[in-house]
Amino acid sequence: MNKVLQKPIKQIRLDSGMTVAQLIEEMRGAAFGAGRLAEAVDIYEAMLCDDGTKFLGFAGAMVPAGMRQIVVDLIKERQIDVLVTTGANIVHDLIEAFGGRHYKGVEQVDDLELRRRHINRIFDVFLPERHFTVFEDRLLDIFADIDRDGMSIRELLTEIGLRVDDPNSITGVAAEKNVPIFCPAIADSAIGLQAWLYTQTKRLDVDTFKDMREFMDICYSAKKTGAMFVGGGVPKNFILQSMIVTPRGGFDYAIQLTMDRAEMGGLSGATLDEAKSWGKIGEYARAVTVYADATIALPIIIAAVKERLNR
Amino acid sequence: MNKVLQKPIKQIRLDSGMTVAQLIEEMRGAAFGAGRLAEAVDIYEAMLCDDGTKFLGFAGAMVPAGMRQIVVDLIKERQIDVLVTTGANIVHDLIEAFGGRHYKGVEQVDDLELRRRHINRIFDVFLPERHFTVFEDRLLDIFADIDRDGMSIRELLTEIGLRVDDPNSITGVAAEKNVPIFCPAIADSAIGLQAWLYTQTKRLDVDTFKDMREFMDICYSAKKTGAMFVGGGVPKNFILQSMIVTPRGGFDYAIQLTMDRAEMGGLSGATLDEAKSWGKIGEYARAVTVYADATIALPIIIAAVKERLNR
Amino acid sequence: MNKVLQKPIKQIRLDSGMTVAQLIEEMRGAAFGAGRLAEAVDIYEAMLCDDGTKFLGFAGAMVPAGMRQIVVDLIKERQIDVLVTTGANIVHDLIEAFGGRHYKGVEQVDDLELRRRHINRIFDVFLPERHFTVFEDRLLDIFADIDRDGMSIRELLTEIGLRVDDPNSITGVAAEKNVPIFCPAIADSAIGLQAWLYTQTKRLDVDTFKDMREFMDICYSAKKTGAMFVGGGVPKNFILQSMIVTPRGGFDYAIQLTMDRAEMGGLSGATLDEAKSWGKIGEYARAVTVYADATIALPIIIAAVKERLNR
Amino acid sequence: MNKVLQKPIKQIRLDSGMTVAQLIEEMRGAAFGAGRLAEAVDIYEAMLCDDGTKFLGFAGAMVPAGMRQIVVDLIKERQIDVLVTTGANIVHDLIEAFGGRHYKGVEQVDDLELRRRHINRIFDVFLPERHFTVFEDRLLDIFADIDRDGMSIRELLTEIGLRVDDPNSITGVAAEKNVPIFCPAIADSAIGLQAWLYTQTKRLDVDTFKDMREFMDICYSAKKTGAMFVGGGVPKNFILQSMIVTPRGGFDYAIQLTMDRAEMGGLSGATLDEAKSWGKIGEYARAVTVYADATIALPIIIAAVKERLNR
């Protein structure tokens, strides 16, 4: 409390043609969301420059919304060491890898009319069911081509990724670049539904807990650790819980992009401060939550840091 | 649109000593959240009275917050046929079953001080780490006592439940009453962390996809289907996705209690209308979302329906 | 921090036929929203029992939603000493007083079709424009009947209230019972629009700042002060700001029902703790925010306290 | 519905050094918040290029947060014709004009300690009370210097603005550039509190309804109309309600930046579609809501449009 009243708010000034990093520079002097967004850029840059292991928790329908290439590029540039995501993001990544597309729709629509036209809706994204049909056929072929027992979920995703022929697929590029993808709730997705169909006649042996060792080994061997959480859900908790049993003492860097609220008590909306009581975030960590739609905040942060690192 | 302006808003009147169902009766004539809460009570009552299969999706830190006994009673009275939940809710249920307690704390607190005192925080719930230690010891004993290979996650939870000695444990009572508990993301919890420890020296063989058949068989054989979603996350999606491949055409009844927003596009905040475009919710379904803290809305709905059914 | 871990969470138990106060009793032992709702009931009861001045800030479309009678009864039972509200709530109160009705509609609707049918929508409330026509005629008559210069807004509302013939009108009953209604933004409502029409040919002399003295005199003479804030906006700020210049040192009791967020920095979502830094809420005040739809939380709190006071 | 599935989602690609408008170009092909933000930029550009009257509704603690200069520049470049705001934004603008500063603080803090140190908190902005003291003295001097009766609130603000000596004051620049500022709830601010002090001995005659004629004349004479709503509250409603009695048929362009929710029924969170049922927004209007912290969204939109118009 001794150093309050040290930093006057700097009123933001906007110029024509300013770059994203220049805009963030202006936001640094401001408060509320603008200030936190600028802080997230600082922390993300520091996290990339430090010699640590970088985790991305990636929840929400981010691939349908247009965030796929960003993650692919992060993997290619090795700015992610570990990806933890939902089954849905893998599924929608594969749909695009198999030639399907998501379409820009509207959120105010007659959903029963959509159903009659075999179009699935994800807020304002439309997805024709026929793309799912292609996905299902291709996935069954891939399952049939995998001849391993006792796989972990990560190993299954690597096997799938190696059979994907799309330079812009998260699953494909991650497999190629040896960036592990963890997806604890994989059964909770169209992959789970296809596994159900497939295992009615064939064998697909994937162990629920086998991932834990690989994941924990990564955590144990890391010098420094940083995490970017896009949304909450299983990816956020799975990344954070590892630190409870890791002797290092919690993440050194953490950025959370979310619209969930803390007051309802769920983990998705929990503050990063709360995570410190568990030892999930370190005592001296740099951490910030940006309360924003991730489709707005994520591109800004990545673009700004890209520009800074390129100077 | 022909029948608009048929139902005037009835201004709520409150009496001293009114019962929960009487309060809901007053709310029925009102709008916004009050009207929707009353509608949820109507739908839940209809769902219980219909001869169908009832699913409960149970996400968020509901057990630490005090919703455990409600679920136990629902299972005992067979008002739930299938429970889908998070690993965390199972863990916190077991912590209480093993003699631990959650404590009422405050949300404005020095989390590093809590950490030094070995207290974990879940918003305004405090949990001493020593209760986790007991949980871990007991769970390792239970793991050692289970001698089965190729279990599904549901089977693992039943095995655990059968070894729990607490008449008020969700896991225990569900096992006793043959109410299956599905928990696709079980690795994402302290159970996953203990499985990691255990499997460093021993074998625990749990198949990721094996649950799918049992779950889909339940869906296929159901005459009518109804779902109450407390929060979103994996439980909501896992319950809903089953209907995509079920010929019945979607849930007949659906109630969602959430504070998540639709506009960010994630499944947790998605409207039940959106689910209709996928065939997850039926064309003629009765469905409502109550935008409320589940710790407020769930007790009200259950208490009101209990009273009505007892008349 | 010495007394953490004193109060174990009590798992909520529900009984058939339980009263609202009994439900709240169960919620007291729980956390998150349930715990805070129970705390709000305790604080509201203490506030009513204390010998103080009770303010109600009443924002949002509460009258269209069905909360009108609750406020009328609070005024009749003198559980409100001062009402601060929006122009809209006065307008919709008068619409009902003049024989109009609000109707229960739906929120998913073609708004252009509604417009063609001359129906105005307030989320899921429909209001035919013809009720506005009656309101306008009646209000112009009332304006013409008032022959005073230099009125304060409160005096204008009392004059209107005295000309309302409806035992269930907030404006009417408040005038009758000498409960002052303050409405700083009155021009921002259909009353303002009618004033614009009226003053094209006639004189209506209402002073913007004249209310301040009466309001501040109430604050200065109060022994104890308590405030219930239904929503934020002008009513919340207007009530709170009075304490900045009142020597008493802030409200002794405060309850806030809101869904607004603190993180965006606006006053509506600001925490009651923040208000303490300004001296708006007292150092030893009992204060709680319930993050809930007010149409759910308000009836519960009032019904529970009514029951307790009647014991 | 015939043209669904026409626009595939374009996965966002980020480049180092990209400008804000280039980032928006990438966001245009995406969904959720990113897509809507890009749409807001398109609409705002179209609104500026059209020959219409441009309204800015400006609610929330935007001046303390750092948005003051943006509004000043918009006024200077005549990209705003009418400003409607809260008393608080005027007050904080004047505090800076009188030499005070807002300071970047933190949101997790002991508010009673702040109070003891005479620092007021607005989320993560700190404001020393001594700046208020200067504000109060200066405002009383200005009041004394104004010798007019029967002023409208707009006229009062112009009189104040003409006495402000700061080229970066919203109030000052607006007065100089003849951009009217409307502030219906002016009593609900520190200006109201000073008016109370001042009028204990002197006269300050400001008419509540006098603004209506000037405001409605602007609306009547406008060829086209566009509105940007930063937050909700009185500014949003006051701007929108004017169209109910204007024969033109509603705003032609509308952009809303908000985090408020529609489901609670309040006007602040109401959708722009709902406004169409009232005729507040025109049938053929271009309108979009961006669900975002305004301190993030506003600078982006303004910077992107500035860049486009400069090409």
Side-chain angles (χ1 to χ4, degrees), chain B residues 39 42-43 46 251-255 281-282 284-288:
Chain B
E39 198 182 339
D42 290 348
I43 294 177
F251 278 95
D252 301 296
Y253 303 94
I255 298 160
I281 306 278
Y284 304 106
R286 295 183 65 180
V288 73

Side-chain angles (χ1 to χ4, degrees), chain D:
Chain D
M1 291 282 289
N2 281 324
K3 299 208 174 165
V4 300
L5 308 186
Q6 298 283 311
K7 283 191 288 183
I9 295 286
K10 285 173 63 182
Q11 299 291 337
I12 289 179
R13 283 177 185 273
L14 302 174
D15 291 318
S16 170
M18 67 197 309
T19 64
V20 177
Q22 286 168 344
L23 176 64
I24 290 294
E25 218 52 48
E26 286 299 312
M27 286 185 174
R28 172 169 296 106
F32 304 171
R36 296 168 89 100
L37 184 61
E39 197 181 341
V41 169
D42 291 349
I43 294 177
Y44 191 62
E45 186 188 14
M47 174 174 143
L48 290 189
C49 293
D50 205 345
D51 185 18
T53 302
K54 298 168 289 292
F55 296 73
L56 177 65
F58 195 60
M62 290 292 108
V63 168
M67 304 295 118
R68 184 192 193 220
Q69 189 68 43
I70 294 176
V71 174
V72 167
D73 289 346
L74 288 175
I75 294 171
K76 284 184 179 167
E77 297 167 23
R78 196 70 198 195
Q79 297 188 347
I80 299 175
D81 297 304
V82 180
L83 177 62
V84 183
T85 191
T86 60
N89 275 318
I90 302 290
V91 166
H92 292 280
D93 173 66
L94 294 177
I95 283 174
E96 297 229 343
F98 297 156
R101 285 292 166 268
H102 298 83
Y103 295 86
K104 209 157 170 183
V106 290
E107 73 268 24
Q108 290 276 19
V109 67
D110 180 343
D111 284 294
L112 292 175
E113 171 67 16
L114 283 184
R115 185 176 182 184
R116 279 185 282 275
R117 300 177 67 160
H118 303 285
I119 294 171
N120 298 328
R121 184 167 73 85
I122 305 168
F123 194 59
D124 62 349
V125 173
F126 288 170
L127 180 59
E129 275 173 25
R130 59 187 156 84
H131 291 337
F132 265 113
T133 312
V134 174
F135 162 83
E136 290 159 11
D137 291 346
R138 294 290 298 273
L139 193 65
L140 291 180
D141 287 349
I142 290 178
F143 281 165
D145 193 50
I146 300 174
D147 186 24
R148 283 179 68 176
D149 268 357
M151 277 181 290
S152 67
I153 298 168
R154 197 279 300 157
E155 288 165 344
L156 172 66
L157 291 175
T158 299
E159 294 291 341
I160 294 173
L162 291 173
R163 286 161 178 83
V164 163
D165 184 26
D166 174 359
N168 297 316
S169 159
I170 294 173
T171 319
V173 172
E176 182 194 328
K177 299 286 183 188
N178 285 315
V179 167
I181 302 180
F182 294 93
C183 181
I186 193 168
D188 173 36
S189 73
I191 297 175
L193 294 176
Q194 288 317 105
W196 162 68
L197 274 178
Y198 185 78
T199 55
Q200 292 189 347
T201 54
K202 311 229 179 60
R203 182 177 160 79
L204 183 69
D205 182 11
V206 180
D207 190 286
T208 295
F209 295 118
K210 196 179 172 194
D211 276 329
M212 299 308 292
R213 178 174 297 197
E214 182 177 354
F215 195 82
M216 295 307 305
D217 283 351
I218 294 170
C219 295
Y220 264 71
S221 64
K223 290 185 198 163
K224 290 285 192 78
T225 50
M228 164 87 86
F229 302 104
V230 175
V234 167
K236 177 182 173 185
N237 192 62
F238 190 72
I239 291 173
L240 283 175
Q241 75 169 12
S242 65
M243 289 295 149
I244 297 177
V245 288
T246 306
R248 319 190 41 270
F251 278 95
D252 301 296
Y253 303 94
I255 298 161
Q256 174 170 244
L257 313 181
T258 188
M259 290 286 266
D260 291 340
R261 299 187 68 139
E263 296 93 350
M264 281 73 225
L267 195 277
S268 290
T271 64
L272 297 177
D273 273 334
E274 178 178 310
K276 291 182 181 177
S277 77
W278 295 74
K280 298 167 179 172
I281 306 276
E283 183 168 351
Y284 304 105
R286 295 183 64 181
V288 72
T289 299
V290 183
Y291 295 95
D293 188 310
T295 63
I296 294 176
L298 182 68
I300 293 176
I301 294 171
I302 304 298
V305 171
K306 203 183 267 270
E307 183 179 342
R308 286 207 209 162
L309 294 180
N310 250 28
R311 271 176 202 158

Side-chain angles (χ1 to χ4, degrees), chain B residues 36-302:
Chain B
R36 298 169 85 99
L37 184 61
E39 198 182 339
V41 169
D42 290 348
I43 294 177
Y44 191 62
E45 185 188 14
M47 175 174 139
L48 290 189
C49 293
D50 205 345
D51 183 19
T53 303
K54 299 168 288 294
F55 296 74
L56 176 65
F58 195 59
M62 291 291 107
V63 168
M67 303 297 118
R68 185 190 191 222
Q69 189 67 43
I70 293 176
V71 175
V72 167
D73 289 346
L74 288 175
I75 295 173
K76 283 184 180 166
E77 296 167 24
R78 195 70 197 195
Q79 297 187 348
I80 299 175
D81 297 304
V82 180
L83 176 63
V84 183
T85 190
T86 60
N89 275 318
I90 302 290
V91 166
H92 292 280
D93 173 66
L94 294 177
I95 283 174
E96 298 230 343
F98 298 156
R101 283 292 166 269
H102 298 85
Y103 295 85
K104 207 154 172 188
V106 290
E107 73 270 23
Q108 290 275 18
V109 67
D110 180 342
D111 284 294
L112 291 174
E113 171 66 16
L114 283 185
R115 185 178 179 181
R116 279 185 284 275
R117 299 175 68 158
H118 303 285
I119 294 171
N120 298 327
R121 183 167 74 85
I122 304 168
F123 194 60
D124 63 347
V125 173
F126 288 170
L127 179 60
E129 274 173 25
R130 58 187 158 83
H131 290 339
F132 266 113
T133 312
V134 175
F135 162 82
E136 289 159 12
D137 291 345
R138 295 288 299 271
L139 193 65
L140 291 179
D141 288 349
I142 290 178
F143 281 165
D145 193 51
I146 300 174
D147 186 25
R148 282 179 67 175
D149 268 356
M151 278 181 289
S152 68
I153 298 166
R154 197 279 299 155
E155 288 165 344
L156 172 66
L157 292 175
T158 300
E159 295 291 341
I160 295 172
L162 292 173
R163 286 161 178 84
V164 163
D165 184 26
D166 174 0
N168 297 317
S169 159
I170 294 173
T171 319
V173 171
E176 183 194 328
K177 298 287 184 189
N178 285 315
V179 167
I181 301 180
F182 294 93
C183 181
I186 193 170
D188 174 36
S189 74
I191 297 175
L193 294 176
Q194 287 317 103
W196 162 68
L197 274 178
Y198 184 78
T199 56
Q200 290 187 349
T201 54
K202 309 230 180 62
R203 184 178 158 80
L204 184 68
D205 182 13
V206 180
D207 189 287
T208 295
F209 295 118
K210 196 179 172 194
D211 275 330
M212 299 308 293
R213 179 176 295 196
E214 181 177 353
F215 195 83
M216 294 308 305
D217 283 351
I218 295 169
C219 296
Y220 264 71
S221 64
K223 289 186 199 162
K224 289 286 192 80
T225 50
M228 163 89 85
F229 301 104
V230 175
V234 166
K236 176 182 174 187
N237 192 62
F238 190 72
I239 291 173
L240 284 175
Q241 74 169 12
S242 66
M243 289 295 151
I244 297 178
V245 290
T246 305
R248 318 190 41 272
F251 278 95
D252 301 296
Y253 303 94
I255 298 160
Q256 174 170 243
L257 313 181
T258 188
M259 291 286 266
D260 291 339
R261 300 187 67 139
E263 297 94 348
M264 281 74 226
L267 194 278
S268 291
T271 64
L272 297 177
D273 272 335
E274 179 178 310
K276 291 183 181 176
S277 76
W278 295 75
K280 298 166 179 174
I281 306 278
E283 185 169 350
Y284 304 106
R286 295 183 65 180
V288 73
T289 298
V290 183
Y291 295 95
D293 188 312
T295 62
I296 294 175
L298 183 67
I300 293 176
I301 295 171
I302 304 297

